[in-house]
Amino acid sequence: MLLVGPRVAFFARLAATLRAGGTGADITRDAALAHADEIRGYGAVVFDRATGAEERAAVRAAFAAAGSRAVFVESPAPLVAVLAAQLEQALQGRARGRRRLAGLSAEPGRALVEVAVACRVRVTGHGTSRLRRPRARDLFDERLPPGTHPVPLGARTTYVVARTYGEVLVTAVPAARAP
């Protein structure tokens, strides 16, 4: 993983989380001048929100010139645990083969988990407390048959992460519409 942006606490926590899970992570302010061999070693790239359009374009051009097949995460979540899951999802998207988790979507109040092959699925809801502290809550952890299964969401859930053996899917929960 390559994390592009200022060395702020958020990226430092994200890099530590990724490394603890066995994924290499580097933080840089500017990757546009890196050597092509080094660039090709990265499987995914995420930009800090403060990284401008010109900087992003230069990094993308450097990766394209190096012949890299890295995935660029376009809408990084503002929560470390969720962004780490988004990066895992981006990396697994490059692998081919049959998937157990066929889909994950959310609407206010519930998530829909689509299972292609019977497997154990763990669904976690992520959000922030009233004091804007990250919160994670296990919503579901059971074996599911193939099909689409609703999972009720708790209040203040803004992201849902579904996991099964070697697979992860992440989705944002849209805000409820006012009547």
Side-chain angles (χ1 to χ4, degrees):
M1 302 285 174
L2 182 62
L3 312 174
V4 180
R7 291 180 181 260
V8 296
F10 181 79
F11 266 10
R13 286 191 315 271
L14 176 60
T17 299
L18 292 169
R19 289 178 189 133
T23 301
D26 295 320
I27 302 171
T28 185
R29 179 71 179 138
D30 182 12
L33 301 177
H35 191 272
D37 289 337
E38 186 178 0
I39 286 175
R40 282 191 292 271
Y42 293 105
V45 177
V46 64
F47 295 102
D48 181 82
R49 293 177 184 197
T51 305
E54 288 181 23
E55 290 174 90
R56 290 173 189 243
V59 170
R60 288 178 192 280
F63 272 74
S68 171
R69 296 184 333 158
V71 176
F72 291 86
V73 177
E74 296 300 327
S75 299
L79 303 170
V80 169
V82 178
L83 181 50
Q86 283 181 314
L87 292 168
E88 285 180 61
Q89 180 179 342
L91 287 177
Q92 82 185 15
R94 296 176 10 168
R96 303 269 186 241
R98 187 173 170 141
R99 301 234 183 257
R100 291 176 183 95
L101 290 175
L104 175 66
S105 61
E107 54 192 44
R110 74 177 186 163
L112 296 171
V113 180
E114 187 178 346
V115 177
V117 178
C119 60
R120 185 177 188 113
V121 177
R122 185 177 75 214
V123 179
T124 306
H126 294 268
T128 56
S129 69
R130 287 190 177 108
L131 299 175
R132 312 242 339 125
R133 291 191 176 119
R135 290 241 190 255
R137 193 174 121 210
D138 289 333
L139 302 172
F140 184 87
D141 189 358
E142 292 184 27
R143 184 170 176 79
L144 291 175
T148 301
H149 307 277
V151 176
L153 299 178
R156 302 184 65 87
T157 300
T158 54
Y159 290 91
V160 178
V161 177
R163 292 183 179 278
T164 191
Y165 312 104
E167 295 179 27
V168 63
L169 293 177
V170 180
T171 192
V173 178
R177 293 184 185 166

